[in-house]
């Protein structure tokens, strides 16, 4: 198999399967892992795939949505550092909403195990919080297996009749012009309601989200009170965040 043909096959497999590991590609194509890794580097530079932990995923577009399993292992050290700092924002007696997501899951793991009421639209996150001595509310709704988030009319109805002191909010993309966005319309609708019902909003987002745009916008930068991230903001985003009067905390491996 010629290099060009091998690379075409790699792109096809990664796209069809929504991601492949180096080991699987090497086994199926009968080439060494070192060769596959070189091909993945070349293909990423060409914009045809994106490398991930141990393999590759399809190239991003505004409609691309990686699965929870894919995102869970990406930038994990940064997410944990962000979560440790963000969890310090919880105050005694508050009602705290945890948005569904991999970074907010790390916030839940870092959060105190008593002294507040928690709510979330992610069953797995609710289970994590329930290990402590806090009251945990779950929105209900339709489970999106891809992101493990509850969405739909039941989730929206819960949010329509409740209020929160603090919201830990996640995002797929953070752009100076369009603000916060996500690939899925149902998730965007739930996120909008979270934002409307929260007294304070702490956005937890690692630097891989900077300068990205996704399909549906759900909040402006001006809606956010604090951004906790792992790396200094690019100039355009820094200017937009400053204009929106958002407190920025850089806490992570790149701090």
């Amino acid at each position: 198999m010629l290099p060009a043909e091998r690379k075409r096959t790699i792109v096809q497999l990664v796209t069809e399967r929504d991601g492949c590991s180096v080991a699987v590609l090497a086994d199926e194509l009968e080439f060494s892992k070192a060769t596959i890794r070189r091909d993945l580097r070349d293909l990423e530079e060409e914009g045809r795939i994106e490398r991930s932990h141990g393999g590759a995923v399809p190239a991003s577009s505004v409609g691309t949505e990686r699965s929870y399993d894919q995102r869970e292992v990406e930038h994990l050290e940064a997410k944990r550092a962000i979560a440790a700092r963000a969890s310090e924002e919880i105050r005694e007696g508050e009602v705290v909403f945890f948005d569904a997501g991999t970074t907010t899951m790390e916030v839940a793991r870092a959060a105190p195990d008593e002294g507040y009421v928690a709510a979330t639209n992610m069953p797995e996150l609710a289970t994590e919080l329930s290990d402590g001595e806090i009251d945990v509310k779950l929105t209900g709704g339709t489970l999106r297996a891809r992101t493990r988030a509850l969405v739909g009319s039941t989730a929206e109805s819960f949010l329509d009749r409740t209020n929160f002191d603090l919201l830990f909010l996640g995002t797929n993309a953070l752009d100076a012009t369009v603000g916060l966005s996500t690939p899925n319309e149902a998730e965007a609708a739930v996120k909008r309601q979270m934002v409307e019902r929260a007294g304070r909003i702490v956005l937890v987002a690692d630097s891989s989200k900077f300068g990205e745009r996704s399909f549906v916008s759900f909040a402006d930068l001006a809606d956010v009170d604090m951004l906790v991230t792992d790396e200094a903001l690019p100039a355009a985003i820094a200017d937009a965040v400053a204009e929106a009067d958002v407190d920025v905390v850089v806490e992570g491996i790149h701090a």
Side-chain angles (χ1 to χ4, degrees), residues 52-251:
S52 66
H53 181 77
V57 295
S60 293
S61 68
V62 295
T64 298
E65 185 176 32
R66 295 182 183 180
S67 70
Y68 186 93
D69 289 337
Q70 290 172 326
R71 292 182 290 111
E72 187 176 28
V73 297
E74 295 176 338
H75 315 289
L76 185 56
E77 188 177 350
K79 290 175 181 178
R80 286 174 174 167
I82 290 167
R85 172 60 184 86
S87 65
E88 296 175 6
E89 294 300 309
I90 298 174
R91 300 168 186 167
E92 182 80 19
E94 288 191 325
V95 179
V96 182
F97 196 97
F98 294 78
D99 185 13
T102 56
T103 308
T104 50
M105 172 62 87
E106 293 301 327
V107 178
R109 289 171 175 153
D113 59 6
E114 61 181 356
Y116 63 101
V117 175
T120 184
N121 66 321
M122 184 178 177
E124 189 172 342
L125 194 151
T127 300
E128 178 69 32
L129 290 169
S130 68
D131 288 341
E133 298 180 6
I134 58 175
D135 189 12
V136 183
K137 312 290 186 182
L138 194 60
T139 63
T142 301
L143 180 67
R144 295 195 68 234
R146 189 163 190 78
T147 60
R148 305 184 189 175
L150 294 170
V151 298
S153 59
T154 300
E156 291 175 26
S157 177
F158 176 93
L159 289 162
D160 191 48
R161 64 178 186 271
T162 51
N163 301 291
F164 317 105
D165 297 293
L166 173 63
L167 165 64
F168 289 115
L169 180 65
T171 187
N172 294 76
L174 193 167
D175 180 80
T177 303
V178 303
L180 312 182
S181 54
T182 190
N184 183 264
E185 292 172 284
E187 289 205 33
V190 170
K191 285 177 180 287
R192 285 192 199 99
Q193 284 193 280
M194 292 176 196
V195 169
E196 290 174 0
R197 310 303 291 194
R200 291 182 295 131
I201 297 174
V202 175
L203 175 65
V204 288
D206 67 75
S207 53
S208 69
K209 312 295 176 62
F210 296 168
E212 297 294 320
R213 297 185 180 192
S214 201
F215 182 50
V216 188
S217 295
F218 62 85
D220 296 325
L221 291 174
D223 294 319
V224 175
D225 296 288
M226 175 182 286
L227 165 62
V228 185
T229 188
D230 65 311
E231 190 171 306
L233 303 178
I237 295 177
D239 290 345
V241 164
E243 185 176 348
D245 197 26
V246 178
D247 292 332
V248 179
V249 178
V250 179
E251 188 81 17

